[in-house]
Amino acid sequence: MKFNHLLMAASAAFALAAASGARADDIKIGFILPMTGQQQSTGKQEAAAAKLFMQQNGDTVAGKKVELIIKDDGAVPDNSKRIAQDLIVNDKVAFLAGFGVTPGALAVAPLATEGKTPEIVTAAGTSIITEKSPYIARTSFTLAQSTVPMADWAAQNGIKKVVSMVSDYAPGADAAKSFAAEFTAKGGQILDSITFPLANPDFAPFLQRAADQKPDAIFVFVPSGQGGIFVKQFAERGMDKAGIRIIGPGDVTDDDLLNGMGDPVLGAITAHIYSADHNSPTNKAFVDAFKKANNGMRPNFMAVGAYDGMHLMYEALKKTGGKTDGDSLIAAIKGMAWESPRGPISIDPDTRDIIQNVYIRTVERKNGELYNVEFETFPSVKDPIKAAEKK
Ligand code: PHB
């Protein structure tokens, strides 16, 4: 009787495994993303891009079947950590990937080290993240990668007085500090340095404080997903009409929300790694396929981070011949270079961080839609904060 029960349980388990198509030697990729809550636009964009990559490139690599697991952490770092633990121990993932915000990526770093599981950061941007584990590599960006070119451009183009306005957490601090250092070194002046809360911010009083100082421009960092409300409140104070310009890294004018921001955002100048308007055959094919697979949704820079992250993981697996130990995979990742929808990119073999072009863009209306139109390129930018530490 007992034996029969066991047999039944075993065959039921087998039937389940067969139904889901899962096998023990399948390769699992675990994405931890904010699918709900304030950062959900990042989760939605990244998940769509990872799925698109698999549609286009198949679910087999190096002769093994790949399974994509997407888990929602709501951008809460305790959740990211708990989910990562579960993915490593129970699912035995070959890679952890994603992370909508820096605190989530940082919370998982010790687990990546302990489990020797590569952590592919496809969304977060604080410089220090890649230094927190030898198993971390990044396909997103760092804030300083954009803010230093932004500061150079502003100083050379008649912007003299700036009020800095950033979300009060690690990437905001990186953005404000790296912009101010470069901008003041090039002769610019920071009139005021304002921070506002990351969670549910009301920007109005901070915008008023900035407006009262009559700057040439406000330098803004808000994480992707918050730009719509920021620009709305900027316009409500008449700051666009007063001739105060918006400059900053491109998170504030991200492609997910840009088209809904309307006229007040026209002429905003940002420095960033990706625009859906980027003029290359690779990008045009990516944007078309992404829109087609997602009811016309336009990809933003987070989508490109995930798409490139998938490329990185597939290529690493090809190089190791399907071997999934962390040391082999990380060795395969170092120095990898390819053509992304954003342009040419590579992984710095010393830092495991991304090297990429940064583009200066202005918001224009094109065929009835708002786009960040690129007009100047800073080629092959390494993270300036890590580069400065090395000197
Ligand atoms: C981050 O938390 O590192 C982050 C999130 C969203 C952004 C940029 C940076 O747009």
Side-chain angles (χ1 to χ4, degrees):
M1 188 66 180
K2 254 199 179 141
F3 179 73
N4 264 346
H5 267 136
L6 264 180
L7 211 62
M8 274 166 67
S11 63
F14 179 78
L16 262 181
S20 75
R23 247 173 257 117
D25 70 338
D26 285 356
I27 291 173
K28 294 180 182 161
I29 296 176
F31 265 86
I32 304 177
L33 292 170
M35 303 305 294
T36 54
Q38 189 177 280
Q39 301 310 124
Q40 61 182 279
S41 98
T42 298
K44 172 189 69 178
Q45 288 273 345
E46 294 241 336
K51 287 178 190 163
L52 175 64
F53 184 91
M54 288 189 70
Q55 270 172 32
Q56 294 177 328
N57 295 278
D59 62 357
T60 311
V61 70
K64 292 189 180 177
K65 203 166 156 57
V66 177
E67 188 191 340
L68 185 66
I69 304 174
I70 295 173
K71 298 272 182 185
D72 177 16
D73 69 355
V76 177
D78 281 347
N79 293 349
S80 325
K81 194 171 170 181
R82 180 179 43 74
I83 293 167
Q85 180 86 37
D86 189 48
L87 287 170
I88 292 172
V89 174
N90 294 322
D91 293 300
K92 304 193 170 38
V93 292
F95 294 98
L96 294 165
F99 316 102
V101 291
T102 289
L106 291 177
V108 170
L111 300 177
T113 304
E114 247 176 69
K116 296 186 188 247
T117 306
E119 174 181 341
I120 310 303
V121 176
T122 61
T126 304
S127 284
I128 202 160
I129 293 172
T130 45
E131 292 169 30
K132 293 297 179 188
S133 168
Y135 293 93
I136 293 180
R138 170 152 50 198
T139 60
S140 48
F141 51 86
T142 74
L143 271 301
Q145 238 168 3
S146 292
T147 57
V148 172
M150 184 70 252
D152 285 346
W153 187 91
Q156 279 162 24
N157 287 276
I159 295 175
K160 296 191 168 63
K161 294 180 177 172
V162 168
V163 172
S164 165
M165 309 185 71
V166 303
S167 299
D168 192 8
Y169 77 126
D174 270 11
K177 201 170 155 207
S178 56
F179 177 81
E182 184 73 7
F183 189 56
T184 54
K186 296 281 164 73
Q189 194 186 345
I190 304 287
L191 297 176
D192 195 3
S193 197
I194 296 174
T195 58
F196 33 71
L198 172 65
N200 308 312
D202 175 10
F203 301 113
F206 303 103
L207 281 160
Q208 194 57 52
R209 178 170 141 195
D212 289 346
Q213 301 179 70
K214 300 194 167 34
D216 299 324
I218 52 170
F219 167 85
V220 186
F221 166 74
V222 290
S224 62
Q226 293 193 5
I229 172 93
F230 186 91
V231 170
K232 183 168 172 279
Q233 295 189 323
F234 169 82
E236 280 166 4
R237 307 245 110 49
M239 291 170 76
D240 55 329
K241 302 254 163 32
I244 298 171
R245 303 176 76 177
I246 292 176
I247 62 171
D251 310 73
V252 65
T253 58
D254 100 74
D255 274 296
D256 200 32
L257 299 178
L258 179 61
N259 208 21
M261 293 183 193
D263 288 358
V265 81
L266 285 169
I269 306 273
T270 53
H272 218 217
I273 53 148
Y274 178 70
S275 165
D277 189 54
H278 179 68
N279 190 8
S280 75
T282 304
N283 186 50
K284 286 199 171 16
F286 170 70
V287 172
D288 287 350
F290 189 93
K291 283 185 168 174
K292 209 169 155 200
N294 295 286
N295 281 324
M297 176 165 77
R298 194 195 284 186
N300 73 358
F301 63 100
M302 293 299 193
V304 173
Y307 192 73
D308 289 333
M310 288 297 288
H311 174 101
L312 180 89
M313 292 184 269
Y314 266 49
E315 290 304 311
L317 287 163
K318 283 183 200 166
K319 273 192 174 180
T320 64
K323 264 174 64 182
T324 56
D325 69 282
D327 290 308
S328 304
L329 289 172
I330 281 290
I333 282 166
K334 290 181 182 173
M336 205 181 269
W338 71 103
E339 168 79 15
S340 153
R342 66 186 112 176
I345 62 176
S346 66
I347 303 298
D348 188 329
D350 298 329
T351 63
R352 292 160 276 101
D353 217 335
I354 185 166
I355 302 174
Q356 58 192 329
N357 293 349
V358 172
Y359 308 91
I360 310 291
R361 315 95 52 86
T362 177
V363 177
E364 286 177 15
R365 200 177 293 282
K366 255 185 149 179
N367 307 324
E369 291 192 35
L370 297 179
Y371 280 101
N372 293 295
V373 177
E374 297 169 348
F375 63 90
E376 198 173 316
T377 304
F378 287 69
S380 305
V381 180
K382 284 191 183 190
D383 174 36
I385 292 182
K386 275 194 281 296
E389 277 169 4
K390 281 198 162 174
K391 280 188 188 147

